[in-house]
Amino acid sequence: MASELVRAECAAGDSEAARARLGALESVALLAAGGAEELARRLVDLGAVPREAAADAAHIAIAAANGVDYLVTWNFRHIANAAMRVRIEGACRAAGYGPPVICTPNELMEAGHGNDAG
């Protein structure tokens, strides 16, 4: 699943690369953004996500509002950041939403393969 916001981001930049990214999203279901605006605002207002990263707050809010289990990202600055995760989870719960597990693609793949070495 992805959001229209992800789709818009994939369409940006180099046109050839954008076509490839959009092609990869063709079979991916789009999440509804309805109801997420208030949570995105709250994430920013509570300092869980900086105001200048409002789009990142929207990604988180759309995932939470749609009950998504995992939010997979390479954004270490404002989303997949241990210090930010605590604030993000708290803001989601305070708004009545279960927060998604925020992780990188590598973390999700490792968990999915039953890697019990260690």
Side-chain angles (χ1 to χ4, degrees):
M1 291 186 215
S3 68
E4 189 59 45
L5 182 56
V6 168
R7 190 172 167 72
E9 289 178 355
C10 286
D14 177 79
S15 61
E16 190 173 316
R19 272 193 299 281
R21 289 188 298 266
L22 290 171
L25 278 178
E26 283 180 5
S27 64
V28 175
L30 289 180
L31 298 168
E37 291 124 8
E38 178 60 33
L39 178 55
R41 233 181 337 272
R42 190 176 210 155
L43 286 162
V44 170
D45 290 347
L46 293 174
V49 177
R51 193 161 304 283
E52 66 272 8
D56 294 339
H59 284 296
I60 296 162
I62 291 167
N66 281 279
V68 171
D69 293 326
Y70 296 92
L71 174 58
V72 182
T73 183
W74 285 117
N75 182 330
F76 294 106
R77 188 164 187 190
H78 301 126
I79 302 177
N81 172 311
M84 303 298 280
R85 278 184 206 162
V86 172
R87 292 185 226 156
I88 290 166
E89 291 171 358
C92 287
R93 285 189 181 103
Y97 295 100
V101 172
I102 297 171
C103 60
T104 66
N106 288 352
E107 290 173 312
L108 186 62
M109 290 180 69
E110 289 171 8
H113 284 95
N115 182 359
D116 56 4

